Amino acid sequence: MIENEGTLYETKLGPLPTLTSKPTHYCAGCEHGTLTHLIASALQDLGVRERAVLVNSVGCSVLAPDYLNVDAVEAPHGRAPAVMAGIKRARPDLLVFSIQGDGDAASIGLLELMYAANRGDPMTIFLVNNATYGMTGGQMAPTTPIGMVTTTTPRGRDLALTGPPIDASKLVASFERPAYVRRVFLPVTPTPSTEFFNARGALEGALAVRHAFEVQERGGFAFVEFVSTCSVNWKMSVLDSKRYAARVLAPLFPEGVLRDRFLLESA
Amino acid sequence: MMTGQTATPDRALVRIDTEHCKGCDLCVVACPHRNLRLSSGYNRSGYHPVEFHYRGDRGECTACGLCYWVCPDYAITEVAKLRP
Ligand SMILES: Cc1ncc(C[n+]2csc(CCOP(=O)(O)OP(=O)(O)O)c2C)c(N)n1
Ligand code: SF4
Ligand code: SF4
Ligand code: SF4
């Protein structure tokens, strides 16, 4: 409840104790920040902050422990799933999660991701797929669409030279044991013929984050991929990066629930 | 630090942390009533922070919370509804 100029208001959404007050280093309009907020909200709603351990990746999310009010361990680049598996075996009471970039999870750490998925270890993985190596300045990533100009593909990504983009969600879902695999389009989406953008992605994302923690509490492996943007390295304005994501990334990485063993989506 | 509180005409209240805002425009384009806009002033980081602005033609703030959820800097710190 808050008072403003003599009038009483009932708080519907408020500041979260699961967040620190530190301003983020993320660029303006970046989904890394949005996801941080969604995770903080889920940790708060589920009342699991005390048991939560962030196993940290290398990439723009490397500073996430500065923003989330949880314990954290830094893993070598891409190896968060292996570190989470170890923590979970030693301390099954803890709730482990990672926030990984596509370079981190789908390139240098692909093997650790695949083995963790194959074993189906209880853990929660959030993949931020912004189709590039953000932190190091916009090199081609495994998820870069064909034709996209990056610093290492100045004439656009060449199919003949590099093969097609890797679909991490499909790959994880190709294993038998993962209990929850979902892909969410997180950026705001332009709506045809209006000045508005649709914010559905953030709402769907909030639900997916929550489910991904609930799945681990039931002993399952949960993987959520967030199709995202990187306006700075894509060299676009913030809103143009959302338009590009909707036009190019959304059809390449379609949204969907690829696995839902505990039927959380229909509950 | 919490700064820049702004209220809507009647039904709802949105609190904005103008020092955390990076002026990215996301809440501006996501608000179904276009009740937010970038201010002409600067915050200490040099961004134009968002301010509440009741445009009038699309309806008042309904405390729908979309601005709260899309903001990457969680600079929309509170969304409240008039007590019935
Ligand atoms: C072992 C090792 N190799 C390479 C690097 C350099 N490096 C830092 S971040 C990064 C990739 C970041 O891209 P991504 O995982 O997609 O995350 P983003 O920054 O886009 O969120 C690389 C290659 C490193 N830190 N450690
Ligand atoms: S470099 Fe890209 S991914 Fe990293 S914070 Fe900036 S916009 Fe986000
Ligand atoms: S709560 Fe909804 S209506 Fe009110 S300012 Fe935010 S987005 Fe607009
Ligand atoms: S979404 Fe957040 S950071 Fe972006 S303009 Fe709105 S309040 Fe500022």
Side-chain angles (χ1 to χ4, degrees):
Chain A
M1 181 130 53
I2 27 175
E3 204 211 305
N4 186 53
E5 289 168 10
T7 314
L8 286 178
Y9 294 87
E10 211 166 318
T11 302
K12 278 186 70 190
L13 298 160
L16 297 166
T18 37
L19 287 168
T20 68
S21 57
K22 206 169 175 168
T24 75
H25 74 296
Y26 300 127
C27 308
C30 177
E31 280 75 23
H32 269 298
T34 315
L35 178 58
T36 307
H37 197 194
L38 300 184
I39 292 171
S41 167
L43 293 173
Q44 179 63 21
D45 285 356
L46 298 170
V48 294
R49 190 194 72 82
E50 290 285 331
R51 289 192 292 121
V53 178
L54 166 58
V55 177
N56 212 20
S57 66
V58 171
C60 285
S61 48
V62 74
L63 293 182
D66 282 8
Y67 315 134
L68 287 168
N69 222 341
V70 294
D71 289 334
V73 182
E74 176 64 52
H77 202 354
R79 272 61 178 188
V83 175
M84 285 194 284
I87 293 175
K88 200 70 186 180
R89 280 163 199 215
R91 290 285 306 272
D93 55 310
L94 298 179
L95 193 68
V96 293
F97 70 103
S98 65
I99 309 170
Q100 302 179 246
D102 43 274
D104 190 79
S107 181
I108 193 168
L110 187 61
L111 205 60
E112 279 73 14
L113 173 64
M114 284 165 58
Y115 273 108
N118 187 50
R119 292 188 304 265
D121 290 321
M123 64 176 69
T124 299
I125 297 177
F126 300 120
L127 170 64
V128 176
N129 176 4
N130 56 14
T132 191
Y133 283 23
M135 177 176 248
T136 46
Q139 294 80 7
M140 190 194 97
T143 45
T144 301
I146 297 303
M148 188 185 201
V149 172
T150 71
T151 56
T152 47
T153 57
R155 279 172 238 96
R157 179 173 180 171
D158 180 358
L159 178 64
L161 193 66
T162 63
I166 285 179
D167 188 326
S169 291
K170 256 196 197 161
L171 183 72
V172 169
S174 73
F175 293 97
E176 196 187 301
R177 291 195 173 179
Y180 186 71
V181 183
R182 179 167 179 185
R183 183 154 48 208
V184 175
F185 186 87
L186 191 52
V188 295
T189 329
T191 47
S193 73
T194 73
E195 58 187 316
F196 296 101
F197 281 62
N198 190 315
R200 189 189 48 85
L203 303 179
E204 299 267 327
L207 207 63
V209 168
R210 208 195 160 101
H211 287 167
F213 283 125
E214 285 170 352
V215 161
Q216 185 186 157
E217 294 284 58
R218 298 182 189 200
F221 176 99
F223 179 89
V224 184
E225 175 180 354
F226 295 93
V227 177
S228 300
T229 67
C230 181
S231 65
V232 168
N233 286 303
W234 294 1
K235 299 177 177 64
M236 296 176 195
S237 72
V238 169
L239 292 184
D240 277 350
S241 75
K242 312 304 175 200
R243 294 185 181 101
Y244 178 87
R247 187 166 54 79
V248 179
L249 296 188
L252 182 60
F253 302 112
E255 283 194 284
V257 180
L258 289 81
R259 183 76 51 78
D260 181 19
R261 187 143 294 151
F262 300 123
L263 303 176
L264 297 174
E265 297 292 329
S266 42
Chain B
M1 196 191 35
M2 217 77 93
T3 44
Q5 173 177 316
T6 35
T8 78
D10 280 319
R11 289 193 286 159
L13 180 145
V14 170
R15 209 193 286 264
I16 301 163
D17 183 341
T18 49
E19 283 307 319
H20 271 44
C21 172
K22 293 184 184 141
C24 71
D25 247 354
L26 295 189
C27 60
V28 176
V29 297
C31 173
H33 304 295
R34 276 286 167 129
N35 280 341
L36 298 163
R37 69 174 177 194
L38 298 190
S39 66
S40 53
Y42 296 96
N43 64 16
R44 261 177 284 165
S45 310
Y47 295 110
H48 293 291
V50 146
E51 64 183 5
F52 191 86
H53 159 70
Y54 177 50
R55 202 166 85 165
D57 59 336
R58 290 191 187 266
E60 288 178 20
C61 172
T62 55
C64 71
L66 290 179
C67 54
Y68 177 92
W69 290 115
V70 297
C71 178
D73 291 279
Y74 26 98
I76 308 285
T77 54
E78 196 156 3
V79 176
K81 232 185 162 137
L82 190 69
R83 239 168 82 91

